[in-house]
Amino acid sequence: MIKVKNLRKVYGHGLTATQALRGVDIEVKPGEFVAVMGRSGSGKSTLLHMLGLLDIPTDGEILIENRNVLRLSDGKKANFRLEKLGYVFQEYSLLPEMTVLENVYVPALCLGKENSHKKRAAELLETVGLGERLNHYPNEVSGGEQQRAAIARALINQPKILFADEPTANLDFASAKLILELFRKLNRELGQTIVMVTHEPEDEKYVDRVIWLKDGLVEQWSTPLPISKVGISN
């Protein structure tokens, strides 16, 4: 699904240059739930932004479904993001003047999907446990509910890959657990490929595999215990 070769990202020039990524090579298979972990400043979010085409690397290749996406024009990259990729971030970024339902189907409108977008948005909100919050506004629901709405929005265009950058960082323990279990459910039941950046060691037990970064390089890979052995509810 994803293949990264010698990915590098340098910010600044000369003596002030900072090497955020220093030659990263990774692969993610279809249907995997992968966590990217490491200390602050290790390059986790930078890597995710590169993979999600939200930023441009200094050097290297990113292949998604065997397509070198860095060679796409800006317009084609934008369409590729809308059609193939979904994003969930720390800040929920819901539009305050729109209802939860309207927020979820906005990306579908950007692709011109006008026939069944409302129905699909409602179904996704039901899937994430917000079936009774369709007509509420963001300020009328909790932080955890806003993040679940953001997940539904990320899924509206049926993306091949879901990227999540510290999706539970602003949530309390109970809400964070719900979000992680939701990700695991999407992965196990729908086969959704997920790449999640996190700094919480506890999150490791929810994923299939961990990619550890240190100083802009892949330090190691690890495979946690099977989900059934760590007491996670289905």
Side-chain angles (χ1 to χ4, degrees):
M1 181 66 73
I2 302 174
K3 189 170 186 177
V4 173
K5 301 179 182 178
N6 194 34
L7 200 66
R8 299 175 181 274
K9 180 64 178 180
V10 179
Y11 294 102
H13 302 279
L15 296 176
T16 62
T18 300
Q19 295 191 58
L21 298 176
R22 299 192 291 133
V24 169
D25 297 288
I26 65 169
E27 292 185 13
V28 177
K29 297 177 181 178
E32 272 196 300
F33 185 3
V34 175
V36 180
M37 303 182 74
R39 292 179 179 274
S40 178
S42 62
K44 304 185 303 296
S45 292
T46 299
L47 175 60
L48 200 75
H49 290 166
M50 301 296 125
L51 297 179
L53 303 182
L54 300 176
D55 199 357
I56 301 172
T58 304
D59 198 8
E61 293 185 347
I62 300 174
L63 283 76
I64 298 179
E65 294 188 315
N66 295 316
R67 187 175 188 181
N68 191 334
V69 293
L70 298 180
R71 295 178 181 174
L72 298 175
S73 66
D74 289 344
K76 289 183 177 179
K77 280 181 184 176
N79 285 335
F80 189 90
R81 284 193 296 265
L82 278 170
E83 293 174 358
K84 302 286 187 179
L85 311 178
Y87 305 89
V88 182
F89 301 105
Q90 289 185 42
E91 294 77 21
Y92 326 121
S93 300
L94 300 179
L95 299 172
E97 68 275 13
M98 291 186 172
T99 65
V100 168
L101 178 67
E102 290 167 340
N103 268 280
V104 170
Y105 65 66
V106 163
L109 293 178
C110 293
L111 277 183
K113 296 181 178 180
E114 299 183 0
N115 294 327
S116 59
H117 61 276
K118 289 184 180 180
K119 179 182 178 182
R120 175 162 171 75
E123 290 171 348
L124 284 168
L125 285 167
E126 187 70 36
T127 297
V128 301
L130 294 177
E132 297 181 357
R133 297 286 193 270
L134 304 186
N135 296 314
H136 286 64
Y137 288 87
N139 65 353
E140 297 174 332
V141 299
S142 69
E145 288 172 329
Q146 288 187 58
Q147 191 62 302
R148 281 186 274 160
I151 293 170
R153 179 183 58 192
L155 295 170
I156 189 67
N157 288 334
Q158 298 178 288
K160 294 289 185 178
I161 307 165
L162 181 65
F163 294 111
D165 190 2
E166 303 276 10
T168 63
N170 295 329
L171 304 178
D172 58 62
F173 178 81
S175 297
K177 186 172 183 288
L178 285 173
I179 294 299
L180 290 165
E181 289 184 344
L182 175 58
F183 278 147
R184 188 58 184 173
K185 179 181 179 181
L186 292 169
N187 172 254
R188 297 179 77 185
E189 296 183 6
L190 303 181
Q192 180 68 57
T193 304
I194 304 174
V195 181
M196 176 181 72
V197 162
T198 179
H199 66 276
E200 296 290 345
E202 184 73 11
D203 296 353
E204 183 178 351
K205 67 186 182 183
Y206 289 87
V207 305
D208 299 319
R209 184 162 55 92
V210 178
I211 299 171
W212 292 91
L213 293 188
K214 182 179 180 180
D215 297 330
L217 290 168
V218 175
E219 183 179 29
Q220 67 182 59
W221 308 69
S222 70
T223 304
L225 290 172
I227 202 80
S228 59
K229 295 184 180 181
V230 292
I232 299 173
S233 59
N234 291 322

